[in-house]
Amino acid sequence: MIVVNPYWNVPSSIAVNEIGPKLMSNPGYIANNNMELLYGGKLVDAAAVDWSSTSVSNFSIRQRPGVSNALGSIKFLFPNQHNVYLHDTPSKSLFSRSYRAFSHGCVRVQNPWDFADALLAHESKVTLAALESERGGREQWNTLGEHIPVHLMYFTLRVDKDGTVRSYGDVYGINDKLKAMLG
């Protein structure tokens, strides 16, 4: 599934830990960041909520499509139990850094429209031109006819051709869990 002009449905952990504290000092934070606050599926004016007595966890937050949307202009969905997907980003400068673990779990794609073109190479239902024609408008969902397997891998060590072992940061804390499992 490819979504052009995606909404970003803010995960509850980000809403509680990052957006909630900002709302306490700035009830206009939601509106200022092209976001919507929802309660029971209905829009709520965040500035009208008494944040000193109400938790943001009682609401859903989503960011409307647009140039500042955290997912950029396109996202790529694939089946998984963690709500992880690949997506564009407005923060293109992050790709030039050596440390790039700035995500909350999803995967930013450096050249998402080139990636879309590659995904569509054997696709009969959707074309790149059709996707590009959807840019800048409302959210558009495109179902692919061709199944493409997705395998995400996470390594904290790598062995070079000369046998040198290189260690990388373990941003998800998997090494400690693995050590505990191994005893």
Side-chain angles (χ1 to χ4, degrees):
M1 180 82 60
I2 298 177
V3 184
V4 180
N5 311 311
Y7 273 90
W8 176 43
N9 294 296
V10 179
S12 58
S13 61
I14 295 173
V16 169
N17 298 323
E18 297 178 31
I19 296 175
K22 292 174 182 170
L23 283 170
M24 292 292 287
S25 61
N26 177 13
Y29 179 84
I30 296 283
N32 295 342
N33 287 279
N34 196 31
M35 294 180 171
E36 298 173 335
L37 185 71
L38 298 107
Y39 182 79
K42 298 190 188 292
L43 291 176
V44 174
D45 180 2
V49 175
D50 178 4
W51 293 109
S52 65
S53 64
T54 304
S55 172
V56 73
S57 64
N58 295 322
F59 301 88
S60 297
I61 299 173
R62 68 181 184 182
Q63 188 175 41
R64 291 184 289 271
V67 295
S68 63
N69 183 289
L71 305 182
S73 61
I74 188 169
K75 75 177 177 180
F76 307 91
L77 299 173
F78 55 94
N80 69 92
Q81 63 186 15
H82 306 289
N83 199 25
V84 171
Y85 42 84
L86 295 96
H87 65 83
D88 184 16
T89 179
S91 304
K92 302 289 189 195
S93 63
L94 296 177
F95 291 110
S96 64
R97 297 182 179 185
S98 58
Y99 179 84
R100 291 174 36 177
F102 297 101
S103 174
H104 289 84
C106 290
V107 180
R108 289 185 173 109
V109 178
Q110 186 168 4
N111 299 303
W113 290 93
D114 292 343
F115 182 63
D117 191 30
L119 287 176
L120 300 173
H122 302 290
E123 182 64 39
S124 60
K125 294 175 96 177
V126 182
T127 66
L128 184 62
L131 291 181
E132 288 177 334
S133 73
E134 297 173 351
R135 288 177 88 162
R138 63 181 175 82
E139 183 176 66
Q140 299 282 331
W141 289 63
N142 298 274
T143 303
L144 304 182
E146 185 73 26
H147 172 75
I148 301 169
V150 176
H151 302 278
L152 297 179
M153 301 173 79
Y154 175 77
F155 295 106
T156 58
L157 296 173
R158 182 185 87 200
V159 180
D160 290 343
K161 288 180 182 179
D162 67 0
T164 303
V165 177
R166 301 211 183 268
S167 177
Y168 300 94
D170 182 20
V171 296
Y172 296 112
I174 301 298
N175 288 349
D176 288 340
K177 292 175 188 172
L178 184 58
K179 287 176 190 173
M181 286 172 43
L182 294 172

